[in-house]
Amino acid sequence: MRDWDADTLLLINEQPSALPLLAALEDAIYTRFPETKRRVRKTQISYYHRTVFACVSLARVKRKAELPKTWLTLTLGLNYPLDSPRVAAKTEAYPGRWTTHIVLGAPEDVDGELLSWLEEAYAFSERK
């Protein structure tokens, strides 16, 4: 069992069953990008090196009935609109920057496809 800091536990308090999902995501992020820093705010955890490349939250980006019992929302910053059935919502925050929300429902959702998107988001953030 991972030793979570108080701010993370407070953020995830609504859904403590999502902690294994958060652990899987963070393990993947820190394995690929060991220099990543994290900042826990009231509503999200941001992951960044020079600039933010991903955030995780309990934001509802689908109707409640469409969400899995346990879930987290991963938000990525990309330079294009990601076209995948896994994308719950996407908006062009400003020209050439797309905010993309993906609902994760199980640790297995942190798969090769998702990791490739994380890598793209990381690379995009590093070019800023």
Side-chain angles (χ1 to χ4, degrees):
M1 183 73 177
R2 187 178 288 212
D3 193 21
W4 295 101
D5 62 89
D7 290 336
T8 299
L9 292 173
L10 185 60
L11 172 72
I12 213 86
N13 187 46
E14 279 180 48
Q15 204 171 153
S17 59
L19 285 172
L21 180 51
L22 180 60
L25 180 63
E26 287 199 352
D27 287 348
I29 288 172
Y30 289 115
T31 296
R32 280 178 172 60
F33 318 111
E35 67 283 357
T36 297
K37 298 173 185 84
R38 79 196 286 271
R39 183 179 306 126
V40 182
R41 300 284 192 197
K42 186 176 178 179
T43 60
Q44 72 181 26
I45 301 171
S46 301
Y47 301 93
Y48 64 98
H49 179 229
R50 289 185 25 207
T51 60
V52 173
F53 65 92
C55 300
V56 68
S57 69
L58 292 173
R60 267 199 195 117
V61 292
K62 290 184 169 187
R63 283 180 265 161
K64 190 173 182 176
E66 295 176 304
L67 291 169
K69 182 179 178 186
T70 297
W71 55 273
L72 292 173
T73 297
L74 174 65
T75 302
L76 302 175
L78 296 168
N79 62 339
Y80 67 96
L82 182 60
D83 186 26
S84 168
R86 294 176 73 175
V87 172
K90 59 188 168 197
T91 57
E92 191 171 20
Y94 58 83
R97 179 170 174 86
W98 288 82
T99 301
T100 305
H101 303 287
I102 301 163
V103 174
L104 305 176
E108 299 78 40
D109 289 344
V110 182
D111 59 9
E113 182 178 50
L114 186 82
L115 295 176
S116 70
W117 298 334
L118 269 167
E119 289 171 1
E120 289 180 45
Y122 183 87
F124 180 56
S125 75
E126 288 295 291
R127 290 193 299 268
K128 295 195 157 278

